Amino acid sequence: MERVKIKVSGMVQGVGFRPFVYRLAHRYGLVGWVQNDAAGIQAEIEGRPENLTGFLADLKAQAPPQAVIMKLLAETVAPKDERGFYIKKSQTTDGRTALVLPDIATCPDCQQELGQAGDRRFRYPFTNCTNCGPRYSIIQDLPYDRAATTMSVFRMCPSCQAEYNDPRDRRFHAQPNACPVCGPAYQLLTASGQAVEGEAFAEARKRIAQGAILAVKGLGGYHLVCNAADQAAVAELRERKGRVDKPFAVMFGDLGTARLHCTVSDAEETLLSGAIRPIVLLAKNPQYGLAQAVAPGNPTLGAMLPYAPVHWILLEAGDAYVMTSGNVSDEPIAYEDQEAQGRLAGLVDYFLIHNRPIHSRVDDSVARIAHNKPFLLRRGRGVAPAPIQLAQAGPPVLACGGEVKNTFCLTKGTAAFMSAHIGDLENVAALASYTGQISHYQALFAIQPEFVAHDLHPDYLSTKYAQTLDLPLLAIQHHHAHIASVLAEHGLNEKVIGVAFDGTGYGTDGLLWGSEFMLADCQDFIRMAHSRYFALPGGMKAIQEPWRQAAWLLQELYGDGFAELPIPFCRQLPDNWPFILQAAAKGINSPLACGAGRLFDMAAAILGIRCRVHYEGQAAVELESAAAGATGWLLPYHITGGPVAELDFRPAFAALVQAVQRGENPAGLAAAFHMTLAAATVDMIRRIHHMTGIRKVAFSGGVFQNMTLLGLILERLDHPLTPLLNRQVPANDGGLALGQAAVARERSKQHVSCNTGQNHSP
Ligand code: ZN
Ligand code: ZN
Ligand code: FE
């Protein structure tokens, strides 16, 4: 007989790991015990050496699907000649070092039960087991026990309790275990709160087929739902929600239906049907046949598959439902019943709701496949609050994030806990959610931050929030944080060439940066180059109305006579353009900006693709879409020297104007614009490489969600240059907090001697 002591760390709690060990030990005729501890799982196993070997091999190979084994240690100890195998009570000396799992999509076993007539959970919308179901969204406190979740109000019936107590059952210690006898239930209500007669799901389906809009309470919040093939219903939803043409996500009843409308690669299929089940951006295929209003002017569709029992019951194969966050325009997703029913009453015809409270709101995650790898574009359900592993331990910090697409980050040891997507802080509801979630995370993970990192922008609400905390503050430049987010993900802290392209971010000179080439590590950065500054006539208004930026540019190129240029853009200028440009010339509300996103705005306006936007990045999305399939060519640009080099794209824009005059088609011109920006970017990277010898190039910022641009850059980035990209956090401002945290931890080392938090530009 031999005995081994085993320690497993990683995501091994709340995933059915102990019953798995129990069953495995029985299979090999071994004795001993297993238990949860602060770091994960411990076990002692005793038996014949050949059985122990088999057991250890299977422990890794057959671990439960949601388990992530980060470390497995096994050491031989003295045999104790025990009888039988048992599960020991958890050691909860410090339950808070255990990880909180994200919500997990319904597993195949539970899915099977849902569809099995006669099963006691047939069509029961709260079916779950140790391998699947809600976690983070229902957890109020740790350790993760039913009493500390929103399931505490439901008392398990004897059948459920028996499953819960039986280590051989796949519901052993499944905290949200429930059935129709004892668990929560759905009901269908009219907008004014009257119960609808009949079976809730059948009635809901009928209403959706008739063109109704429903609010459906799910796992992490409410969705607004209607038939995606029904143009009138989708248009009505846009009208009520006040959302002009920003794309809606669609849930397909099954993969086959998704394939009818979109192309789905193997990697995309894996992502769509995995445990996270994010919204995946798919290319529409030529047979795409959903309502035009679902994703107008967009070559891609945000698609997802059912991930909770409610969806498996509500949708059938062949269905395609719009499934968008239940909110008014850009407010955070509604999740509290009273609040939601108040806020959404004017938007929907019916409510399909249930009586289990959602403790934490979690919006759907968004991801895409590029170069065969998944990239997260929004962290939410299925992902948060699983930590990102940092290369080194450091002091606990709170990084407050940015202003739009906000997330925050709390660190502890080597773990960085990124919050789920919160949204744009400028609205009151989002700000309230922000402060509430920060408190919840701090309590849940027992983190007392010693430093607070925030954006350099003095007016961001996240900055103002940081200033209310009585802690040492570290102000981090926006684009430095973008680059540091890449370094943190890759566990690097060395100087790299950082390329941060986005819309705007506050620079150390008070101007709006956003086409940044820098030498950066986690400590500091040196600005090496950027594109030329332009005025934003009317400030934020110029971002909503790209024609203002383009008019400023053309006036710079051609003088006041530009308005007579024989191109459609000039014929469509509003009458007040001279006043707007005059005000800008006097510097009235016209900040200087060099965001790469602004170059896309100007190109889209000049090519007549878009002069006014309804959502962030729309002009760039449509310009990229216009370029699809076209072959571009290189337009001229200049690089001017100086301590900080400048990329001047005015010659490229002049060439675009001439080409429009010649009547060349916008697709080729849009492609030429992408190619030119890519070539100039790589040109600049090479210059910096020649000056410094640095080979690693980190790309971040919202502009790199443009896969055409990124692809063209990566194609040209040859040996010895190596690209580094964001994958676990978004390249847009949703990933900013991770970079802020990385810089803050590095700077905190020097905090005693230098606590200004200022960057140094040459
Ligand atoms: Zn399950
Ligand atoms: Zn029950
Ligand atoms: Fe940004």
Side-chain angles (χ1 to χ4, degrees):
M1 290 290 155
E2 264 181 28
R3 188 176 181 94
V4 284
K5 186 174 176 127
I6 297 165
K7 283 182 177 224
V8 188
S9 63
M11 301 271 241
V12 289
Q13 292 184 11
V15 294
F17 209 91
R18 287 172 304 162
F20 157 68
V21 172
Y22 177 94
R23 287 191 295 270
L24 200 58
H26 272 273
R27 201 190 322 145
Y28 281 101
L30 302 167
V31 299
W33 51 264
V34 59
Q35 78 177 157
N36 275 347
D37 70 0
I41 299 276
Q42 302 195 35
E44 287 191 16
I45 320 279
E46 188 172 323
R48 289 169 183 279
E50 64 272 23
N51 289 345
L52 283 173
T53 312
F55 172 90
L56 286 172
D58 287 354
L59 190 65
K60 269 192 195 161
Q62 296 174 13
Q66 302 318 322
V68 179
I69 298 178
M70 300 207 284
K71 225 189 246 169
L72 196 161
L73 296 174
E75 55 170 328
T76 311
V77 293
K80 289 185 183 158
D81 194 22
E82 263 164 323
R83 304 277 152 235
F85 193 92
Y86 61 105
I87 295 175
K88 263 202 202 176
K89 205 168 149 40
S90 305
Q91 259 186 358
T92 49
T93 43
D94 181 10
R96 289 174 198 265
T97 58
L99 300 177
V100 175
L101 281 174
D103 303 271
I104 303 163
T106 306
C107 73
D109 290 338
C110 288
Q111 232 180 84
Q112 152 94 32
E113 281 180 353
L114 280 168
Q116 185 76 52
D119 190 281
R120 72 188 194 92
R121 290 193 178 83
F122 176 55
R123 290 173 66 82
Y124 179 58
F126 297 89
T127 301
N128 68 84
C129 71
T130 37
N131 291 325
C132 76
R135 297 287 188 274
Y136 174 66
S137 63
I138 60 166
I139 291 176
Q140 296 156 322
D141 201 358
L142 284 181
Y144 175 50
D145 273 323
R146 190 174 176 106
T149 70
T150 60
M151 282 301 291
S152 61
V153 291
F154 301 96
R155 222 188 132 78
M156 273 186 274
C157 69
S159 309
C160 286
Q161 188 69 53
E163 293 165 341
Y164 184 92
N165 293 344
D166 181 357
R168 290 158 309 182
D169 195 281
R170 66 184 178 86
R171 295 198 163 90
F172 174 71
H173 280 210
Q175 306 303 346
N177 191 25
C179 78
V181 175
C182 64
Y186 267 91
Q187 66 178 140
L188 184 67
L189 303 177
T190 64
S192 55
Q194 254 94 49
V196 175
E197 291 275 305
E199 198 270 320
F201 286 90
E203 293 301 320
R205 283 185 59 77
K206 204 190 312 170
R207 304 297 195 289
I208 291 169
Q210 288 163 354
I213 297 169
L214 271 68
V216 177
K217 184 179 174 186
L219 216 48
Y222 281 66
H223 280 118
L224 299 179
V225 177
C226 72
N227 180 1
D230 183 337
Q231 172 69 18
V234 182
E236 177 68 22
L237 176 57
R238 289 203 173 279
E239 181 73 32
R240 292 189 198 169
K241 207 177 153 159
R243 179 149 149 168
V244 183
D245 46 13
K246 187 175 176 183
F248 284 139
V250 168
M251 183 178 277
F252 290 103
D254 64 337
L255 192 62
T257 312
R259 286 192 197 282
L260 292 180
H261 303 281
C262 301
T263 55
V264 184
S265 68
D266 291 349
E268 285 162 343
E269 180 180 333
T270 306
L271 190 57
L272 276 168
S273 47
I276 297 176
R277 300 217 166 198
I279 295 170
V280 180
L281 301 190
L282 299 176
K284 294 175 178 172
N285 71 23
Q287 287 75 45
Y288 177 84
L290 299 180
Q292 183 274 338
V294 171
N298 205 307
T300 61
L301 179 75
M304 60 181 152
L305 292 178
Y307 58 80
V310 50
H311 308 129
W312 287 107
I313 302 168
L314 187 62
L315 281 84
E316 289 175 5
D319 287 335
Y321 287 176
V322 163
M323 197 124 336
T324 184
S325 302
N327 55 18
V328 183
S329 69
D330 286 326
E331 287 182 5
I333 186 167
Y335 75 111
E336 285 171 320
D337 298 322
Q338 284 235 311
E339 164 229 6
Q341 287 161 32
R343 273 161 68 195
L344 303 180
L347 269 55
V348 301
D349 306 307
Y350 298 94
F351 284 96
L352 182 61
I353 55 165
H354 64 74
N355 55 341
R356 179 175 73 199
I358 297 172
H359 189 73
S360 293
R361 119 190 330 129
V362 217
D363 228 318
D364 296 314
S365 292
V366 182
R368 86 187 306 161
I369 296 287
H371 314 290
N372 253 324
K373 291 192 195 107
F375 287 79
L376 272 172
L377 306 178
R378 183 165 88 188
R379 288 175 68 89
R381 174 189 48 77
V383 182
I388 291 168
Q389 285 300 316
L390 301 174
Q392 282 173 357
V397 301
L398 165 65
C400 294
E403 178 88 341
V404 297
K405 301 186 170 67
N406 177 280
T407 60
F408 62 83
C409 177
L410 278 158
T411 68
K412 183 178 187 176
T414 56
F417 297 95
M418 289 287 285
S419 73
H421 168 80
I422 289 168
D424 297 354
L425 293 189
E426 59 245 23
N427 76 61
V428 181
L431 192 62
S433 166
Y434 174 69
T435 54
Q437 282 292 306
I438 291 176
S439 314
H440 183 49
Y441 263 58
Q442 280 188 222
L444 206 52
F445 300 110
I447 299 177
Q448 284 305 324
E450 290 170 15
F451 297 91
V452 177
H454 63 84
D455 194 275
L456 202 53
H457 201 305
D459 299 331
Y460 278 5
L461 291 175
S462 50
T463 301
K464 293 185 172 162
Y465 169 79
Q467 287 161 348
T468 64
L469 304 172
D470 191 20
L471 285 166
L473 297 180
L474 295 161
I476 319 288
Q477 200 279 324
H478 190 93
H479 304 94
H480 184 207
H482 272 310
I483 297 306
S485 74
V486 182
L487 294 175
E489 268 199 54
H490 291 266
L492 294 174
N493 186 15
E494 59 185 68
K495 276 208 170 44
V496 298
I497 300 172
V499 182
F501 283 1
D502 65 2
T504 55
Y506 199 80
T508 51
D509 54 4
L511 300 182
L512 297 175
W513 295 8
S515 52
E516 305 307 310
F517 294 81
M518 54 175 66
L519 284 185
D521 55 21
C522 288
Q523 170 72 26
D524 215 338
F525 73 97
I526 298 170
R527 193 183 198 198
M528 300 295 284
H530 58 86
S531 80
R532 197 172 167 278
Y533 286 104
F534 293 98
L536 293 178
M540 289 311 286
K541 206 101 215 234
I543 293 170
Q544 288 150 17
E545 299 180 2
W547 72 263
R548 290 169 181 251
Q549 303 172 48
W552 173 271
L553 165 78
L554 294 184
Q555 193 184 40
E556 258 194 32
L557 280 170
Y558 302 100
D560 277 340
F562 86 88
E564 306 306 321
L565 286 168
I567 59 172
F569 171 75
C570 294
R571 287 194 289 275
Q572 288 158 17
L573 281 170
D575 293 340
N576 63 347
W577 72 262
F579 304 105
I580 287 167
L581 292 190
Q582 276 160 26
K586 290 184 195 142
I588 300 167
N589 188 22
S590 300
L592 291 178
C594 68
R598 307 285 76 88
L599 300 172
F600 282 86
D601 285 351
M602 291 189 281
I606 288 168
L607 298 184
I609 289 168
R610 180 146 298 272
C611 286
R612 287 184 169 76
V613 302
H614 304 114
Y615 60 90
E616 199 210 354
Q618 185 177 13
V621 166
E622 293 179 4
L623 192 70
E624 183 186 6
S625 155
T631 327
W633 62 94
L634 201 56
L635 305 166
Y637 60 89
H638 287 315
I639 292 181
T640 59
V644 183
E646 256 187 31
L647 272 164
D648 185 353
F649 289 102
R650 284 178 302 176
F653 285 112
L656 286 180
V657 169
Q658 285 163 15
V660 175
Q661 283 184 44
R662 287 196 303 270
E664 287 187 32
N665 89 55
L669 298 179
F673 170 81
H674 279 83
M675 184 172 282
T676 306
L677 187 52
T681 301
V682 175
D683 189 351
M684 187 61 86
I685 291 168
R686 281 211 197 95
R687 284 172 197 236
I688 299 172
H689 165 68
H690 288 309
M691 283 163 63
T692 61
I694 294 173
R695 296 169 174 198
K696 289 184 181 148
V697 191
F699 295 91
S700 190
V703 167
F704 289 113
Q705 291 180 142
N706 181 320
M707 288 292 145
T708 307
L709 178 70
L710 184 61
L712 288 166
I713 290 174
L714 296 183
E715 254 170 47
R716 283 170 171 69
L717 199 74
D718 46 12
H719 184 79
L721 298 166
T722 352
L724 301 167
L725 304 172
N726 288 115
R727 287 190 52 200
Q728 302 182 69
V729 299
N732 63 38
D733 286 6
L736 214 53
L738 180 65
Q740 291 176 346
V743 177
R745 290 191 2 148
E746 197 55 33
R747 290 222 181 125
S748 68
K749 294 180 187 165
Q750 276 81 26
H751 189 71
V752 183
S753 54
C754 156
N755 66 354
T756 61
Q758 292 302 303
N759 304 296
H760 311 287
S761 289

